[in-house]
Amino acid sequence: MWLNTTTSSFLLTGFPGMEKAHRWISIPLSVAYISIILGNGTLLFLIRDDHNLHEPMYYFLAMLAATDLGVTLTTMPTVLGILWLNHREIGQAACFSQAYFIHTLSVVESGVLLAMAYDRFIAICKSLRYTSILTDTRVMKIGVGVLTRAGLSIMPIIIRLHWFPYCRSGVLSHAFCLHQDVIKLACADITFNRLYPVVVVFAMVLLDFFIICFSYVLILKTIMGIASRVERAKALNTCVSHICCILVFYITVVGLTFIHRFGKHIPHVVHITMSYVYFLFPPFMNPVIYSIKTKQIQMGILRLFSLPSRA
């Protein structure tokens, strides 16, 4: 039975049963948030400031770093608000806005990884036409297209959240608002909001992944056709960072999906922990991967932190 009442706000949840440890839990999460902000912020600063990094590959990397920063800055306020201040209440408008940005940026990240795969495909398979194909204007159009695709695809389900009456407990199961969490509290027909996200995942995220895999099949085919072993290794090395970022993102997506679909008997704290892994691990690892595997980024960091020589 649906209760004949409605609510204008929701209550977020930290780590149930571990409320006394919230301050301690906040320490590693705060360190992770600060590391993500510093790592991705440094990448953005380097790419903007260093003319050696004004190339399509690094423009796409800047998009990835900006997306990771967006995810972090979207989730951080409510998470730390609960862990530090036990501030659990969030208004509907703020909740729906947070859900919109979280889900939109997840689709954006998938699109940026696809754009980076396209960049590597052109660089290796059509190297002589690289600069003529990936002009600054085209890179900008790709970025706008990725953002527009994500924003428009998520908008229908978020708009519908404003129409639903909410007459259940009003308690969400995470420290941030997720669409699939909010619709459980709706006292209305939510069939569209249940089915539409599945279509989005299959039509975009999974399709992106399959296109990325296909592009790397073509890339590997081209690399294997290079006579020189040194040149083959050099060409393959330019893809390693991107491949690692793809694995980090899609493995966490698959892991979270399996936990939600088949982990009904798993303790709820595992679900919550996995959601933090999904939102924190890729943004944390992406700057680390590119800093370790990309010489141009390493040189930029050294130049950034080197002391100016005295006259």
Side-chain angles (χ1 to χ4, degrees), residues 36 40 63-73 109 282-284 286-287:
I36 290 168
N40 289 285
M63 294 178 196
L64 185 66
T67 303
D68 288 338
L69 269 180
V71 172
T72 301
L73 295 176
E109 181 134 1
F284 177 82
N286 289 341

Side-chain angles (χ1 to χ4, degrees), residues 45-54 296 299-300 303:
F45 178 80
L46 284 177
I47 293 169
R48 182 190 69 85
D49 195 59
D50 192 336
H51 291 284
N52 295 320
L53 302 179
H54 289 183
Q296 290 87 337
M299 295 301 295
R303 284 193 295 269

Side-chain angles (χ1 to χ4, degrees), residues 157-206:
I157 54 174
I158 300 300
I159 289 176
R160 284 177 60 87
L161 292 181
H162 291 272
W163 302 347
F164 295 147
Y166 298 93
C167 44
R168 299 179 191 273
S169 65
V171 179
L172 300 172
S173 59
H174 293 83
F176 34 77
C177 291
L178 299 175
H179 167 263
Q180 62 267 29
D181 211 10
V182 174
I183 60 172
K184 294 177 183 177
L185 306 179
C187 303
D189 182 3
I190 59 172
T191 303
F192 176 82
N193 281 60
R194 283 190 179 278
L195 296 179
Y196 181 82
V198 177
V199 174
V200 171
V201 169
F202 275 96
M204 294 188 185
V205 179
L206 284 181

Side-chain angles (χ1 to χ4, degrees), residues 85-259:
L85 307 172
N86 196 32
H87 182 74
R88 297 177 57 200
E89 187 172 354
I90 184 170
Q92 282 192 7
C95 183
F96 300 158
S97 297
Q98 186 182 46
Y100 175 75
F101 284 112
I102 286 174
H103 294 296
T104 295
L105 289 170
S106 294
V107 178
V108 168
E109 181 134 1
S110 177
V112 172
L113 290 172
L114 175 60
M116 295 172 82
Y118 176 66
D119 169 76
R120 292 299 84 205
F121 170 76
I122 299 298
I124 293 173
C125 300
K126 300 182 183 297
S127 56
L128 296 179
R129 297 176 55 202
Y130 180 75
T131 54
S132 62
I133 293 176
L134 282 177
T135 60
D136 289 351
T137 302
R138 183 158 295 175
V139 170
M140 186 180 299
K141 287 180 179 178
I142 291 172
V144 172
V146 167
L147 188 61
T148 303
R149 182 190 73 156
L152 293 180
S153 66
I154 299 300
M155 194 173 291
I157 54 174
I158 300 300
I159 289 176
R160 284 177 60 87
L161 292 181
H162 291 272
W163 302 347
F164 295 147
Y166 298 93
C167 44
R168 299 179 191 273
S169 65
V171 179
L172 300 172
S173 59
H174 293 83
F176 34 77
C177 291
L178 299 175
H179 167 263
Q180 62 267 29
D181 211 10
V182 174
I183 60 172
K184 294 177 183 177
L185 306 179
C187 303
D189 182 3
I190 59 172
T191 303
F192 176 82
N193 281 60
R194 283 190 179 278
L195 296 179
Y196 181 82
V198 177
V199 174
V200 171
V201 169
F202 275 96
M204 294 188 185
V205 179
L206 284 181
L207 183 61
D208 289 351
F209 178 72
F210 288 127
I211 295 174
I212 289 170
C213 290
F214 179 69
S215 69
Y216 269 101
V217 169
L218 298 178
I219 287 171
L220 288 173
K221 184 179 178 181
T222 301
I223 290 175
M224 291 301 104
I226 299 175
S228 170
R229 182 177 299 179
V230 174
E231 290 298 319
R232 283 203 302 267
K234 185 178 178 181
L236 189 59
N237 190 56
T238 64
C239 302
V240 171
S241 299
H242 180 235
I243 292 171
C244 291
C245 291
I246 292 169
L247 292 175
V248 166
F249 177 74
Y250 284 103
I251 286 174
T252 53
V253 168
V254 171
L256 186 64
T257 302
F258 268 85
I259 287 289

